[in-house]
Amino acid sequence: MASVEFSRILSFFKALSDESRLKIVGALASNERSVEELATLLELRAPTVSHHLAKLKEAGLVEMRSEGTTHIYHLVLSEMRALTRRVLSLDTIETFTEDVHPDAWERKILGDFFEGQRLKEIPASRKKREVILRWLVERFKFDRRYMEKEVNAIIGKHHPDFATLRRELICAKLLARESGVYWRP
Amino acid sequence: MASVEFSRILSFFKALSDESRLKIVGALASNERSVEELATLLELRAPTVSHHLAKLKEAGLVEMRSEGTTHIYHLVLSEMRALTRRVLSLDTIETFTEDVHPDAWERKILGDFFEGQRLKEIPASRKKREVILRWLVERFKFDRRYMEKEVNAIIGKHHPDFATLRRELICAKLLARESGVYWRP
DNA sequence: AGATTATTTTGATATATATCTAATTAGATA
DNA sequence: TATCTAATTAGATATATATCAAAATAATCT
């Protein structure tokens, strides 16, 4: 389920994603205004304006005060600013996928290309090949050096074309090599 | 017609006013990603993701680069920031009503309550009364002092209850008074 | 050239929503 | 209490759009 932060930001965008509501906010930027006044300005019927104001109020962007039967609405600038600022932050944006399983993609690719321990084929697309390579490199320990023959043997357990895969691992900088010795950087 | 700035901001909000698109932006915040990858992450079909990416591209929020048949999308952070900042500014918000006739409301009220030069009645609602008072005070010059009798005569040309209206003008600070002399502040 | 893969386009459908009129509610006034 | 006014709610309608499956494109590989 989506976080409360996510819902707030979504309803913020929904609130401002309509031409009439954007104009209402514009009109309220310079002055508080009654429903009838807004209706006249925007050439809409009062119920329509009322409907829009309800959405803006829901998002916390406007507040209302009564004066007799007149309802006078004003912008909540602090909320406008707070929400806008939050959208500006990359940290906040990243949380938009909070409820999504982040490794769904990798698991799918691994499932598609492996049959048990055996790699059925080397993916043509770089994106997918990367997933396979990241899995392969996990077969190597960090605190060890490997001779080329060992590297070939380990990769060979999963796919016959160990030469290509070895080269790709180096190329992707997942494995390092110097004078015939390999290790995980 | 709406200004180009207004349309850009509206399409910015429209682009981000959907749950799936907000999540796509979230996924792209940490990494560039292919259509298929996004589809897997969000549990949507590729055409749906393609549709959303088109909208985000339209708004200038993402860009695409091809790698073989794979299309890899990435966030345009500068555009995100630029648009968000513009929304933060009150000046920008005020321009949202640029194409709206700003005195439509006042003209409507004056039309409703006046019959020629004659004020039919004094509006009950403060908002409307203010419009009438602002019109009335225009009957006075800035660089003159008026005796109460003169004030009554001028107001009386438009409505018999000059006493109430005179008091309201003072109350709204549209007219100033000291020891029986009146002037426009 | 033919086959394969990733993406986009098209067409269909269901849901959401902007707008209006008519009816209702709530406050103020006579 | 009855009336008037401003706003909201209810109900209806038309438009917009999110989603999917199927078809069409585009790039790559055999």
Side-chain angles (χ1 to χ4, degrees):
Chain A
M1 81 224 80
S3 75
V4 53
E5 169 81 349
F6 181 84
S7 316
R8 278 178 67 80
I9 291 183
L10 181 56
S11 88
F12 166 69
F13 281 117
K14 276 188 192 292
L16 296 178
S17 67
D18 174 84
E19 182 168 342
S20 299
R21 284 196 291 272
L22 221 41
K23 285 181 182 168
I24 288 175
V25 167
L28 294 180
S30 56
N31 244 315
E32 57 177 20
R33 296 184 199 269
S34 70
V35 176
E36 195 188 351
E37 187 174 355
L38 289 168
T40 308
L41 279 172
L42 305 198
E43 297 178 310
L44 292 171
R45 302 288 132 202
T48 305
V49 172
S50 204
H51 160 79
H52 288 311
L53 286 168
K55 294 212 159 185
L56 290 169
K57 196 158 75 174
E58 176 73 24
L61 299 179
V62 306
E63 281 172 356
M64 188 268 276
R65 129 181 153 257
S66 292
E67 198 170 274
T69 65
T70 308
H71 290 189
I72 297 179
Y73 285 85
H74 63 98
L75 214 53
V76 182
L77 270 175
S78 58
E79 192 65 14
M80 281 286 287
R81 298 231 163 85
L83 281 163
T84 314
R85 285 230 187 72
R86 239 172 298 163
V87 174
L88 261 176
S89 133
L90 197 58
D91 292 347
T92 308
I93 294 176
E94 282 181 8
T95 69
F96 292 173
T97 37
E98 226 168 33
D99 58 332
V100 145
H101 228 290
D103 53 356
W105 162 253
E106 310 219 341
R107 279 186 291 106
K108 175 181 185 297
I109 299 306
L110 293 173
D112 284 354
F113 283 87
F114 273 98
E115 200 149 68
Q117 291 290 300
R118 192 113 208 110
L119 181 60
K120 287 188 278 185
E121 62 175 312
I122 302 174
S125 111
R126 184 186 60 81
K127 272 261 171 199
K128 295 182 177 177
R129 216 160 49 236
E130 252 178 26
V131 174
I132 300 300
L133 294 174
R134 270 200 300 274
W135 180 89
L136 259 187
V137 82
E138 289 301 321
R139 310 305 117 203
F140 295 83
K141 295 195 173 134
F142 267 110
D143 46 8
R144 253 201 71 182
R145 325 237 122 199
Y146 297 86
M147 301 308 292
E148 183 157 311
K149 231 178 273 188
E150 298 178 274
V151 173
N152 292 347
I154 293 174
I155 298 177
K157 276 193 282 186
H158 307 293
H159 194 272
D161 189 359
F162 49 76
T164 297
L165 287 167
R166 195 191 59 223
R167 202 178 329 113
E168 292 269 359
L169 282 168
I170 299 294
C171 181
K173 294 189 199 306
L174 291 168
L175 226 50
R177 166 179 58 186
E178 196 156 321
S179 48
V181 182
Y182 295 75
W183 71 94
R184 274 186 81 173
Chain B
M1 78 221 84
S3 75
V4 52
E5 169 81 351
F6 182 84
S7 315
R8 277 178 70 78
I9 292 182
L10 181 56
S11 89
F12 166 70
F13 281 117
K14 275 188 192 291
L16 296 177
S17 66
D18 173 85
E19 181 167 345
S20 299
R21 283 196 292 272
L22 220 42
K23 284 181 182 169
I24 287 175
V25 168
L28 294 180
S30 56
N31 245 315
E32 57 176 18
R33 295 184 200 268
S34 71
V35 176
E36 196 186 351
E37 189 173 354
L38 289 168
T40 308
L41 280 171
L42 304 199
E43 297 177 312
L44 291 172
R45 304 290 131 201
T48 306
V49 172
S50 202
H51 159 79
H52 287 312
L53 287 167
K55 294 211 160 187
L56 290 170
K57 197 158 73 173
E58 175 73 24
L61 299 178
V62 305
E63 281 172 358
M64 186 266 276
R65 128 181 154 255
S66 291
E67 198 171 275
T69 66
T70 308
H71 290 189
I72 297 179
Y73 285 84
H74 63 96
L75 214 54
V76 182
L77 271 175
S78 57
E79 192 66 13
M80 282 284 288
R81 297 232 165 85
L83 280 162
T84 313
R85 285 231 187 73
R86 240 171 297 163
V87 174
L88 261 176
S89 131
L90 197 58
D91 291 345
T92 308
I93 295 175
E94 283 183 9
T95 69
F96 292 173
T97 36
E98 227 169 33
D99 58 332
V100 144
H101 228 291
D103 53 357
W105 162 254
E106 310 220 339
R107 278 185 292 109
K108 177 180 183 299
I109 298 307
L110 293 174
D112 285 354
F113 283 87
F114 272 98
E115 199 148 71
Q117 292 289 300
R118 193 111 208 114
L119 180 62
K120 287 189 276 186
E121 62 176 311
I122 301 174
S125 111
R126 183 186 61 80
K127 273 264 174 198
K128 295 182 178 178
R129 216 161 48 236
E130 253 177 26
V131 174
I132 300 301
L133 293 173
R134 270 200 301 275
W135 180 89
L136 258 187
V137 82
E138 290 299 323
R139 310 305 116 204
F140 294 82
K141 295 198 172 131
F142 267 112
D143 46 5
R144 255 201 71 182
R145 328 236 121 200
Y146 296 86
M147 300 310 292
E148 183 157 312
K149 230 178 273 187
E150 297 176 275
V151 173
N152 292 347
I154 292 172
I155 299 176
K157 275 192 281 185
H158 306 292
H159 194 274
D161 189 358
F162 50 76
T164 298
L165 287 168
R166 196 188 61 224
R167 200 177 333 109
E168 292 272 358
L169 281 169
I170 299 295
C171 181
K173 295 193 200 305
L174 292 168
L175 228 48
R177 166 178 58 188
E178 199 157 317
S179 49
V181 181
Y182 296 73
W183 71 95
R184 274 185 83 173

